[in-house]
């Protein structure tokens, strides 16, 4: 069920549990600011999730409350993950869902990186 991106952070969400090591993940990258792992329900041949290590509900929450170091570190991590995975050519797509209308399902900021096939138009009308 989509969530309200303005609600308080839930420390028991699945990504918080992954960060604490309570739930395993197929990790591909980790640094001081981010963790990246393969999506368990991939929507493209290659589908990686990147999450900040801080407790942020959405991109809006992160942009408003994250430190400059967290924001720069997270954005750089997303780029590094895509480069390390060999996604730069022929290309990849980034997606961050924020709130109910965008169908955000986990109340922890996460960026999807999709690749591995032509991904089609941005939105289906």
């Amino acid at each position: 069920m989509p969530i309200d991106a303005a609600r308080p952070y839930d420390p028991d969400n699945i990504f918080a549990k992954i960060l604490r090591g309570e739930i395993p993940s197929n990790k591909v990258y980790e640094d001081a600011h981010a963790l990246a792992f393969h999506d368990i329900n991939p929507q493209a041949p290659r589908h990686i999730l990147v999450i900040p290590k801080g407790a942020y509900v959405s991109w809006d929450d992160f942009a408003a409350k994250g430190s400059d170091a967290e924001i720069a570190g997270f954005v750089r991590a997303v780029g590094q993950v895509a480069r390390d995975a060999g996604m730069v050519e022929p290309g990849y797509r980034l997606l961050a869902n924020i709130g109910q209308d965008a169908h955000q399902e986990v109340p922890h900021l996460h960026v999807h990186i999709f690749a591995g096939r032509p991904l089609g138009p941005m939105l289906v009308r």
Side-chain angles (χ1 to χ4, degrees):
M1 169 174 279
I3 60 107
D4 176 359
R7 77 180 191 195
Y9 184 80
D10 174 8
D12 290 323
N13 75 72
I14 191 168
F15 294 158
K17 290 178 179 182
I18 288 171
L19 284 168
R20 290 192 301 265
E22 296 169 9
I23 296 175
S25 66
N26 187 357
K27 180 172 44 172
V28 297
Y29 178 90
E30 183 172 18
D31 68 15
H33 300 289
L35 174 68
F37 50 92
H38 291 281
D39 194 293
I40 62 169
N41 184 26
Q43 303 299 304
R46 302 178 72 200
H47 184 172
I48 297 173
L49 295 171
V50 186
I51 62 174
K53 289 194 169 176
Y56 300 102
V57 174
S58 65
W59 193 272
D60 182 67
D61 184 33
F62 185 57
K65 298 175 187 168
S67 70
D68 291 348
E70 286 176 301
I71 293 168
F74 181 70
V75 171
R76 288 186 177 163
V78 171
Q80 188 66 52
V81 168
R83 284 190 300 280
D84 289 352
M87 295 176 170
V88 174
E89 291 296 330
Y92 61 94
R93 177 170 295 157
L94 301 177
L95 174 70
N97 297 313
I98 295 99
Q100 289 184 338
D101 281 0
H103 205 70
Q104 182 182 4
E105 294 180 353
V106 178
H108 185 108
L109 170 61
H110 54 288
V111 172
H112 299 261
I113 306 176
F114 302 106
R117 68 171 169 80
L119 297 169
M122 288 184 45
L123 297 173
V124 178
R125 293 180 183 216

Coordinates of all heavy atoms in Angstrom, one line a residue, residues 33 52-75 109:
H33 N 27.5 6.6 3.7 CA 26.3 7.3 3.5 C 25.2 6.5 2.9 O 24.0 6.8 2.9 CB 26.5 8.6 2.7 CG 27.4 9.5 3.3 ND1 27.1 10.3 4.5 CD2 28.7 9.9 3.1 CE1 28.1 11.0 4.8 NE2 29.1 10.8 4.0
P52 N 19.8 5.7 1.6 CA 20.7 6.4 2.5 C 20.8 5.7 3.9 O 19.8 5.0 4.2 CB 20.1 7.8 2.6 CG 18.7 7.6 2.4 CD 18.6 6.4 1.4
K53 N 21.8 5.8 4.6 CA 21.9 5.2 5.9 C 21.1 6.0 7.0 O 20.8 5.4 8.0 CB 23.4 5.0 6.3 CG 24.0 3.9 5.5 CD 25.3 3.5 6.1 CE 25.8 2.3 5.4 NZ 27.2 1.9 5.9
G54 N 20.8 7.2 6.7 CA 20.0 8.0 7.6 C 18.5 7.7 7.6 O 18.1 7.1 6.6
A55 N 17.8 8.1 8.6 CA 16.4 7.9 8.7 C 15.6 8.9 8.0 O 15.1 9.9 8.6 CB 16.0 7.8 10.2
Y56 N 15.4 8.8 6.7 CA 14.6 9.7 5.9 C 13.5 9.0 5.1 O 13.7 8.0 4.5 CB 15.6 10.4 4.8 CG 16.7 11.1 5.5 CD1 18.0 10.6 5.6 CD2 16.5 12.4 6.1 CE1 19.0 11.3 6.2 CE2 17.5 13.0 6.8 CZ 18.7 12.5 6.8 OH 19.8 13.1 7.5
V57 N 12.3 9.6 5.2 CA 11.1 9.0 4.6 C 11.1 9.1 3.1 O 10.8 8.1 2.4 CB 9.8 9.6 5.2 CG1 8.6 9.1 4.5 CG2 9.7 9.4 6.7
S58 N 11.6 10.2 2.6 CA 11.4 10.5 1.1 C 12.5 11.4 0.7 O 13.3 12.0 1.5 CB 10.1 11.1 0.8 OG 10.0 12.4 1.5
W59 N 12.6 11.6 -0.6 CA 13.5 12.6 -1.2 C 13.3 14.0 -0.6 O 14.2 14.7 -0.2 CB 13.4 12.6 -2.7 CG 14.6 13.4 -3.3 CD1 14.7 14.7 -3.6 CD2 15.8 12.8 -3.7 NE1 15.9 15.0 -4.1 CE2 16.6 13.8 -4.2 CE3 16.3 11.5 -3.7 CZ2 17.9 13.6 -4.7 CZ3 17.6 11.3 -4.2 CH2 18.3 12.3 -4.7
D60 N 12.0 14.3 -0.4 CA 11.7 15.6 0.1 C 12.2 15.8 1.6 O 12.8 16.8 1.9 CB 10.2 15.8 0.1 CG 9.8 17.2 0.6 OD1 10.1 18.2 0.0 OD2 9.1 17.2 1.7
D61 N 12.0 14.7 2.4 CA 12.5 14.7 3.7 C 14.0 14.8 3.8 O 14.6 15.6 4.5 CB 12.0 13.4 4.4 CG 12.4 13.3 5.9 OD1 12.4 14.3 6.6 OD2 12.6 12.1 6.3
F62 N 14.7 14.1 2.9 CA 16.2 14.1 2.8 C 16.7 15.4 2.4 O 17.6 15.9 3.0 CB 16.6 13.0 1.8 CG 18.0 12.7 1.7 CD1 18.8 12.4 2.8 CD2 18.6 12.8 0.4 CE1 20.2 12.1 2.6 CE2 20.0 12.5 0.3 CZ 20.7 12.2 1.4
A63 N 16.1 16.0 1.4 CA 16.6 17.3 0.9 C 16.4 18.4 2.0 O 17.2 19.3 2.1 CB 15.8 17.7 -0.4
A64 N 15.3 18.3 2.8 CA 15.1 19.3 3.8 C 15.9 19.1 5.0 O 16.3 20.1 5.7 CB 13.6 19.3 4.2
K65 N 16.2 17.8 5.4 CA 16.9 17.6 6.7 C 18.3 16.9 6.6 O 19.0 16.9 7.6 CB 16.0 16.6 7.5 CG 14.6 17.2 7.8 CD 13.7 16.2 8.5 CE 12.3 16.7 8.7 NZ 11.4 15.6 9.1
G66 N 18.6 16.4 5.5 CA 20.0 15.8 5.4 C 21.1 16.8 5.4 O 20.9 17.9 5.0
S67 N 22.2 16.4 5.9 CA 23.4 17.3 6.0 C 24.0 17.3 4.6 O 23.7 16.5 3.7 CB 24.4 16.7 6.9 OG 25.0 15.5 6.4
D68 N 24.8 18.4 4.3 CA 25.4 18.5 3.0 C 26.3 17.2 2.7 O 26.3 16.7 1.6 CB 26.3 19.7 3.0 CG 25.5 21.0 3.0 OD1 24.3 21.0 2.8 OD2 26.2 22.1 3.2
A69 N 26.9 16.7 3.7 CA 27.8 15.5 3.5 C 26.9 14.3 3.2 O 27.3 13.5 2.3 CB 28.6 15.2 4.8
E70 N 25.8 14.1 3.8 CA 24.9 13.0 3.5 C 24.3 13.1 2.1 O 24.3 12.1 1.4 CB 23.7 13.0 4.5 CG 24.0 12.5 5.9 CD 22.8 12.6 6.8 OE1 22.3 13.7 7.0 OE2 22.4 11.6 7.3
I71 N 23.9 14.3 1.7 CA 23.3 14.5 0.4 C 24.3 14.2 -0.7 O 24.1 13.5 -1.6 CB 22.7 15.9 0.3 CG1 21.4 15.9 1.2 CG2 22.3 16.2 -1.2 CD1 20.9 17.3 1.4
A72 N 25.5 14.8 -0.5 CA 26.6 14.6 -1.5 C 27.0 13.2 -1.6 O 27.2 12.6 -2.6 CB 27.8 15.5 -1.2
G73 N 27.2 12.6 -0.4 CA 27.6 11.2 -0.4 C 26.6 10.2 -1.0 O 27.0 9.3 -1.7
F74 N 25.3 10.5 -0.7 CA 24.3 9.6 -1.3 C 24.2 9.8 -2.8 O 24.2 8.8 -3.5 CB 22.9 9.9 -0.7 CG 21.8 9.1 -1.2 CD1 21.8 7.7 -0.9 CD2 20.8 9.6 -2.0 CE1 20.7 6.9 -1.3 CE2 19.8 8.8 -2.5 CZ 19.7 7.4 -2.1
V75 N 24.2 11.0 -3.3 CA 24.1 11.2 -4.8 C 25.3 10.6 -5.4 O 25.2 9.9 -6.5 CB 23.9 12.7 -5.1 CG1 24.1 13.0 -6.6 CG2 22.6 13.2 -4.6
L109 N 13.6 6.6 2.1 CA 14.1 7.0 0.8 C 14.9 5.9 0.1 O 15.7 5.3 0.8 CB 15.0 8.3 0.9 CG 15.7 8.7 -0.3 CD1 14.7 9.0 -1.4 CD2 16.7 9.8 0.0

